[in-house]
Every structure is written in structure tokens, then in C-alpha cells.
């Protein structure tokens, strides 16, 4: 099968859309298929796509105002040309909003089936950044996803949001996790002594540092006696957070095996953002055997079993986050039990298993097209 993955983000970008698109491309190659990736061009000075598992076509882009780490594709004929030249059987749209809209239009003109993967709560971002535009964001989302043969939602909450806003043909497709890379056995006592020289309980956040992530909700945790907050990530909120989170350790962006070692060395993982359609870092924490505190909203509702693998708290409630962390800090046995249960929960959620589910969705779409033609 020849598949073109049109994605709004791709490595070296570090975010959920980029990571999922990369894993999808890898799985297609591993299963003997021929993918091509179409993605926004990276910032000047970044290296080529030599580490990508398949060819990558880069479309001219500009940095998002106020958030230069995010790049937005410019209008380009390269999208349609790439799809046609690859002789695609199917177009995969990863979090379509700008580049993906062009990919959808090209697929329609060429008569090709399209699978759209919903990954970003753009309506929530509109509320956060401009305090308006939620209805317009949903109109845009509904327009592109309604044109696709199938929309895949990463969580039950996302599926409900899409259906309640009139998006048809929605199915559930979760995300995988690298259970070999993220593992409890990577816990590093030397790293722990470096991060918490006085033996403090280490509470970690991993993710982008942006307003919608609401990392400032960890301020109360910073005030807990015997607790050290460790923040991994980068983004426009970093300068503010260094003041808002006194005593926290900021490690910047970390990836790969280094990130896995940090995850496994945490005592508690705390996520704060209420707009997660999935929340991959929660899965990575669970794979690392670390108990989770997360908002009872969006993707974490599917991932965290309250009272078994972690604690769910009301969204945007700093006191609830603080109290949940304090409850875990006071009970080492509970932390160990939650961590072990979390690891057991995700052991079957490999990217290979999730990738095969995706191939099943592709097969269903292609079969539906063949039936429509035959009729």
C-alpha cells in the first residue's frame, strides 16, 4: 500500500502530532508498505530528514507568531504534486488544520480515500490564546473531517467532542507507547541525587511549556515540604514559569533514552493541561512505573484509573493537584502499587499493536471505496 502522511508537524519537532506521525511512518515501513511524509519545512539550520524511515517532502512554512517553535505551512502546490507523484492509494491526514486542509483537497481532486486523525484540541487553544474563536475552530475542524472517509479519535472524550460537533464517521484509535524504552528499570539513583540532593520526593512534569498546559498549577506543589518539582520541556511560558515555580528544576527539552531515564527516576508524574485529546506523557510515565496525577478531562480519563494507577483531579484546580501529590508523597506503598498497576496497564499498548489497528482502519476505508465503485 502506498500512503501519503500529510502532517502539521514532524521531527525534529517534539510534540504528540510529530511523534505519532513518525511512529505511523515507521510501522508502515516495517509492515512492507510505502509511505511518504509531507510536512512543514523546519527552521533554517536544522538538519535533513536522514533519520526518517521514509522520504519526506517539506513545504515552505513560517513560525507561529508568539510561539516560534511551532511552524505553519504556507500555500504550496507541493502537497498535491507529492500525493500524485507517490501514486498514493490512501492519504493520512495527521491533525489536519492548515497543511491537512490542502491534503484533503488534493485527495478529493485525485479521487483518493482519506483518513483524518484528530489530535489537537484547537477549540481549546482558541479559548486559551485569543479568548474567542472556539466556534470558528470547530467549523474548520468539522469541514475537513467531514470530507474524510474516516476520522480517528485518540480517546473517548475526543470521540464524543467530534460527534457532538457534527463530525461523521468517527472511530477510536489510541496511541502506542514504547514499553522497551520507557521502563521502571531505568530508575537512576545518581540522577535522583543530582535533582534532589536532600532526598526530596521528585514530582515531574514533561511537555511543552505553553499557556494551554497550565503548568503554573504546580506552584502549590513547589511549596510542599520535602518535595522537588522537575520540569522537562521548552516553550513560550518558560520565563514566566521560572518565577511562578520557585525551587523547581528546569531541564529543558529532553528526548529518547535520556528522557526515559528521567521518567523512571520520578516519584510522581503530574500533568496539568485540561485540553489533551490523548496525553502521551501520561502513558510514558505509566510505562516507567510512575504514579500519575492528571486532570479529569480529555485523554487522561481513558488512561488513568483513579485510585488504581493514579489520581484524577478537577481541571484547573491547583489545590487539588497539590493535595493529590501530598497524598502520594505520604504513602510510599501506594505510590509503588499505582506505579506497578500503571506499568501492567500499558504493557500491551505497543506502537506495533496500535499500528496494526491503524492498518485495519485503512483496509476498511479501501474496502468501502471498492464497494462504492462496484455499486
Amino acid at each position: 500500500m502506498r500512503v501519503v502522511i500529510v502532517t502539521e508537524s514532524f521531527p525534529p519537532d517534539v510534540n504528540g502530532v510529530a511523534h505519532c506521525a513518525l511512529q505511523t511512518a515507521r510501522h508502515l515501513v516495517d509492515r512492507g508498505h510505502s509511505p511518504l511524509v509531507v510536512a512543514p519545512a523546519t527552521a533554517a539550520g536544522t538538519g535533513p530528514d536522514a533519520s526518517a524511515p521514509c522520504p519526506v517532502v517539506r513545504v515552505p512554512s513560517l513560525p507561529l507568531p508568539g510561539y516560534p517553535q511551532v511552524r505553519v505551512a504556507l500555500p504550496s502546490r507541493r502537497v498535491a504534486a507529492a500525493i500524485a507523484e507517490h501514486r498514493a492509494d490512501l492519504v493520512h491526514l495527521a491533525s489536519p488544520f492548515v497543511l491537512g486542509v490542502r491534503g484533503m483537497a488534493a485527495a478529493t481532486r485525485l479521487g483518493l480515500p482519506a483518513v483524518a486523525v484528530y489530535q489537537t484540541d484547537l477549540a481549546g487553544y482558541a479559548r486559551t490564546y485569543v479568548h474567542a474563536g472556539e466556534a470558528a475552530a470547530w467549523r474548520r475542524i468539522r469541514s475537513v473531517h467531514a470530507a474524510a472517509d474516516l476520522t480517528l479519535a485518540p480517546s473517548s472524550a475526543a470521540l464524543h467532542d467530534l460527534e457532538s460537533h457534527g463530525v461523521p464517521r468517527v472511530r477510536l484509535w489510541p496511541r502506542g507507547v514504547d514499553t522497551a524504552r520507557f521502563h521502571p528499570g531505568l530508575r537512576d539513583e545518581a540522577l535522583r541525587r543530582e535533582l534532589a540532593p536532600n532526598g526530596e520526593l521528585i514530582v515531574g512534569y514533561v511537555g511543552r511549556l505553553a499557556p494551554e498546559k497550565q503548568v503554573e498549577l504546580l506552584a502549590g506543589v513547589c511549596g510542599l515540604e520535602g518535595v522537588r518539582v522537575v520540569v522537562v520541556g521548552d516553550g513560550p511560558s518558560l520565563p514566566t514559569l521560572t518565577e511562578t515555580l520557585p525551587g523547581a528544576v528546569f531541564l529543558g527539552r529532553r528526548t529518547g533514552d535520556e528522557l526515559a531515564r528521567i521518567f523512571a527516576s520520578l516519584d510522581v508524574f503530574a500533568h496539568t493541561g485540561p485540553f489533551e485529546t490523548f496525553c502521551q506523557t501520561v502513558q510514558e510515565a505509566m510505562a516507567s512505573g510512575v504514579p500519575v496525577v492528571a486532570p479529569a478531562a480529555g485523554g487522561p480519563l481513558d488512561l488513568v484509573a483513579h485510585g488504581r494507577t493514579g489520581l484524577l483531579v478537577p481541571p484547573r484546580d491547583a489545590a487539588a493537584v497539590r493535595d493529590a501529590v501530598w497524598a502520594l508523597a505520604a504513602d510510599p506503598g501506594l505510590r509503588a502499587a499505582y506505579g506497578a498497576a500503571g506499568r501492567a496497564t500499558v504493557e500491551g499498548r505497543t506502537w506495533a499493536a496500535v499500528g496494526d489497528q491503524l492498518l485495519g482502519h485503512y483496509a476498511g476505508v479501501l474496502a468501502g471505496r471498492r464497494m462504492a465503485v462496484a455499486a
Side-chain angles (χ1 to χ4, degrees):
M1 187 185 341
R2 303 183 69 81
V3 178
V4 174
I5 301 170
V6 182
T7 178
E8 305 290 337
S9 184
F10 197 69
D13 296 345
V14 180
N15 57 58
V17 174
H19 185 63
C20 186
L22 173 63
Q23 293 293 343
T24 299
R26 282 177 176 167
H27 188 72
L28 286 169
V29 171
D30 289 345
R31 291 292 188 260
H33 302 289
S34 299
L36 170 76
V37 170
V38 179
T42 58
T46 57
D49 295 295
S51 60
C54 65
V56 179
V57 173
R58 294 287 183 174
V59 175
S61 68
L62 289 175
L64 185 67
Y67 198 162
Q69 293 92 336
V70 175
R71 299 189 68 84
V72 179
L74 296 172
S76 173
R77 296 179 180 177
R78 292 186 191 178
V79 180
I83 293 171
E85 290 170 9
H86 192 63
R87 294 179 289 111
D89 300 305
L90 181 143
V91 177
H92 174 121
L93 307 171
S95 195
F97 195 69
V98 178
L99 191 60
V101 169
R102 299 184 185 102
M104 185 69 253
T108 300
R109 287 197 302 273
L110 294 168
L112 297 173
V115 173
V117 180
Y118 178 72
Q119 289 182 253
T120 306
D121 183 1
L122 293 163
Y125 286 10
R127 290 196 302 271
T128 299
Y129 284 99
V130 298
H131 309 292
E134 183 177 0
W138 272 115
R139 284 195 297 272
R140 178 86 163 184
I141 292 167
R142 184 167 50 248
S143 174
V144 64
H145 284 272
D149 293 70
L150 180 67
T151 286
L152 297 177
S155 65
S156 300
L159 187 149
H160 177 266
D161 281 348
L162 289 163
E163 290 186 334
S164 66
H165 284 89
V167 176
R169 301 178 297 281
V170 185
R171 298 283 298 277
L172 186 65
W173 180 56
R175 301 292 173 265
V177 63
D178 188 338
T179 53
R181 167 166 282 170
F182 295 97
H183 194 279
L186 295 175
R187 190 175 179 88
D188 187 329
E189 293 302 327
L191 174 61
R192 288 178 53 78
R193 288 192 296 272
E194 179 184 337
L195 296 174
N198 296 316
E200 297 95 337
L201 182 101
I202 303 177
V203 178
Y205 166 86
V206 179
R208 290 185 294 110
L209 306 183
E212 74 275 6
K213 299 298 184 180
Q214 300 186 6
V215 186
E216 66 275 5
L217 294 175
L218 293 176
V221 178
C222 291
L224 294 174
E225 184 178 355
V227 171
R228 176 58 58 89
V229 172
V230 173
V231 177
V232 179
D234 194 10
S237 295
L238 177 59
T240 301
L241 290 171
T242 56
E243 298 180 2
T244 307
L245 305 180
V249 177
F250 290 85
L251 297 179
R253 180 181 294 183
R254 304 296 175 95
T255 59
D257 293 341
E258 184 182 21
L259 177 61
R261 187 167 60 99
I262 294 169
F263 261 117
S265 300
L266 302 176
D267 295 303
V268 176
F269 177 76
H271 188 81
T272 49
F275 303 123
E276 301 299 322
T277 59
F278 186 75
C279 202
Q280 181 67 6
T281 54
V282 164
Q283 273 206 143
E284 290 167 351
M286 293 169 69
S288 304
V290 178
V292 173
V293 173
L301 289 170
D302 283 358
L303 299 175
V304 181
H306 181 73
R308 193 170 72 85
T309 64
L311 298 173
L312 292 170
V313 299
R316 307 177 185 86
D317 191 332
V321 174
R322 179 200 62 209
D323 293 347
V325 169
W326 187 242
L328 291 172
D331 195 335
L334 191 62
R335 294 199 305 273
Y338 284 2
R343 172 69 191 186
T345 298
V346 302
E347 280 183 333
R349 299 179 189 170
T350 64
W351 278 108
V354 169
D356 285 343
Q357 292 176 25
L358 178 63
L359 291 175
H361 288 304
Y362 286 173
V365 165
L366 291 170
R369 281 292 184 111
R370 287 194 294 269
M371 290 176 62
V373 170

